[in-house]
Amino acid sequence: MKDRRKNKRKRKVLLILYLGICLAIIVAAYFHLSRIARSFNTQNLELITGLYAEKMNDSMEYLQNYAQEDVKMIQSMENAEPEKLLQRLQKNLDRTTFCNIGFIMNNGEIYGSDCAVSDIKKNQLDELALASDISFNSDPYQSSETGNMIMTVFVPIEDSSQIHNLYVSIMIEKLRQLGDYELLQGKISIHILKADSENFITCISDNSNTAGSWNNLLLQQRYFQYDEDYSYNQWIKDMRSGKREGRFSAIIRSEESTISYRSISSMPGWYVVVQLTNKNISDITQHFSIWGGIYGTILVGFTILYMLTILLLEKRDKQIYMGLSTLDPLTGIMNRRAFQMAVEVEINKKTPGVFIFIDVDNFKSYNDMYGHNNGDFCLKYFAQTMKACFPEDCIIGRYGGDEFVVYMKNLSVDAVQKYMAEYQKRISHLTLPTGEEVQMSASAGGAAFPEQGEDVMALCRNADVALYEVKQNGKNAFKMRGM
């Protein structure tokens, strides 16, 4: 009897010990998984911040490129009367994206709609434009015509005896849409902040009523509580000093949050700010804390499954994010930055090749005649033909607008000439979706590495010089630099 009682006590002790170990495993696994989830989401938060900064760079580059096309038209109509030139600009304006266009004369006179001229004078933007020799973006301001917040891009007109600047305005709501990813809607807040004025635009918010609004960060500080070793003043000081990126924690509206920010290179003084609440970071681990006590025996297997899922998601997300930041959205080939990086890799490996600059002939006239949709169709066709016609190991990219670039590796100049002749032949006839048959052509210039340039910029300049010579001699041809 005494032994039975002793064995019973042992079994109770063992049971308590077993339950204690299970509980310890569950608690340890919960906190361990919480740290993994927090680390994973924090890394993705920084990746998302960089992605949005890249997206805004591409968006502002698009605005600049659009304005540059109109600058070329102004330069080609140098002797036209200002009123007729304004009518032409307003007629060609893409009003699905932009709301105003006009120009500022060297004598300070502003041409454009009455409301646009009034707004520019009221905000003294004409004085800034006349004093600047480079392109710049204005701070957002309220349109007296529609009441909406707008931003204006000013581009100087070089070599013009009459006109000093072209300006193009876009509604903040349109700019917000350029940086919007529905995939993250409701899970993350993203703002564009100007450091010197501390004003910000809300691009994405879990509160749909605040998306697209224009606010001041200082006025929002009543909702912020920073860590002891950080403060609002430190944050602003870091950005105003030109710090490229950073991350910190704060309690916002009673919720612990992580904030990550990164500068926008094409908008000096502007930052993308991404905010994610720690509650969203740890939601997935809450599932384990609820069911851990009931299903403790499958904890290890579930943990392994969770870890594999995170690794797979991380791999997939990185592929998605890298694809978004390296591909041109219209043509599906590399954008300018990705192309330059790929060519730099080959140059560092000393891989000989030919850098080719291709420009679609008379693309502006083609757009005016057949419409922008058919213009986009043409650009897609040019890119598809390049991929089909050129060797598979070629590096192909869209430089911007109707300009394309190619780097052909390990080929002689004669071989490159043959490929370009075949390419010119294939693009010469194009059937539009409407069934119309149109004739197309392209001008191209090339420069060989390393003979005619030892870096990407030098190759690009020499190829552009050769391209200019082709355009001066009737277009629709390919020419190597110096040949």
Side-chain angles (χ1 to χ4, degrees), residues 274-377:
V274 179
Q275 172 189 328
L276 182 64
T277 63
N278 292 353
K279 179 180 180 297
N280 285 337
I281 294 177
S282 60
D283 273 350
I284 191 169
T285 58
Q286 296 297 325
H287 179 76
F288 303 139
S289 66
I290 295 172
W291 295 100
I294 302 173
Y295 299 107
T297 56
I298 61 172
L299 179 62
V300 174
F302 197 80
T303 303
I304 294 174
L305 178 62
Y306 174 75
M307 291 295 296
L308 290 175
T309 301
I310 284 182
L311 291 173
L312 291 173
L313 287 175
E314 185 178 29
K315 183 177 180 181
R316 187 191 68 178
D317 288 349
K318 285 185 177 179
Q319 290 174 343
I320 292 173
Y321 295 148
M322 290 303 293
L324 287 172
S325 63
T326 60
L327 296 181
D328 174 62
L330 176 65
T331 60
I333 60 178
M334 288 183 179
N335 60 25
R336 184 193 302 184
R337 290 183 180 85
F339 175 83
Q340 289 176 339
M341 291 175 62
V343 175
E344 285 174 356
V345 170
E346 298 301 327
I347 288 176
N348 290 335
K349 293 191 297 185
K350 306 299 182 183
T351 306
V354 175
F355 185 106
I356 303 173
F357 213 133
I358 303 175
D359 184 90
V360 182
D361 291 333
N362 306 314
F363 185 70
K364 186 68 170 62
S365 301
Y366 177 85
N367 254 349
D368 293 341
M369 181 177 298
Y370 297 102
H372 286 280
N373 288 338
N374 283 321
D376 289 347
F377 178 82

Side-chain angles (χ1 to χ4, degrees), residues 61-75:
E61 186 175 310
Y62 165 73
L63 300 183
Q64 292 285 351
N65 289 340
Y66 186 92
Q68 289 294 344
E69 289 297 321
D70 286 316
V71 167
K72 293 179 182 179
M73 189 191 76
I74 290 176
Q75 292 172 332

Side-chain angles (χ1 to χ4, degrees), residues 372-470:
H372 286 280
N373 288 338
N374 283 321
D376 289 347
F377 178 82
C378 168
L379 295 177
K380 292 177 185 177
Y381 176 75
F382 269 61
Q384 292 169 358
T385 306
M386 291 167 73
K387 290 193 289 187
C389 183
F390 297 154
E392 290 185 1
D393 64 345
C394 280
I395 303 173
I396 299 173
R398 184 182 178 193
Y399 194 78
D402 60 341
E403 296 174 330
F404 297 88
V405 280
V406 184
Y407 188 74
M408 294 190 181
K409 299 182 286 186
N410 298 311
L411 290 178
S412 66
V413 172
D414 290 340
V416 171
Q417 293 276 10
K418 291 179 180 178
Y419 277 113
M420 288 303 299
E422 177 64 20
Y423 176 70
Q424 295 277 19
K425 179 180 178 181
R426 290 195 186 189
I427 63 171
S428 61
H429 296 284
L430 173 63
T431 302
L432 300 178
T434 56
E436 296 176 90
E437 296 282 345
V438 295
Q439 291 186 338
M440 301 294 298
S441 66
S443 300
F449 171 78
E451 296 88 350
Q452 296 170 323
E454 296 184 351
D455 56 46
V456 175
M457 297 307 298
L459 290 170
C460 184
R461 285 194 301 269
N462 283 321
D464 193 35
V465 170
L467 171 61
Y468 180 78
E469 293 176 0
V470 171

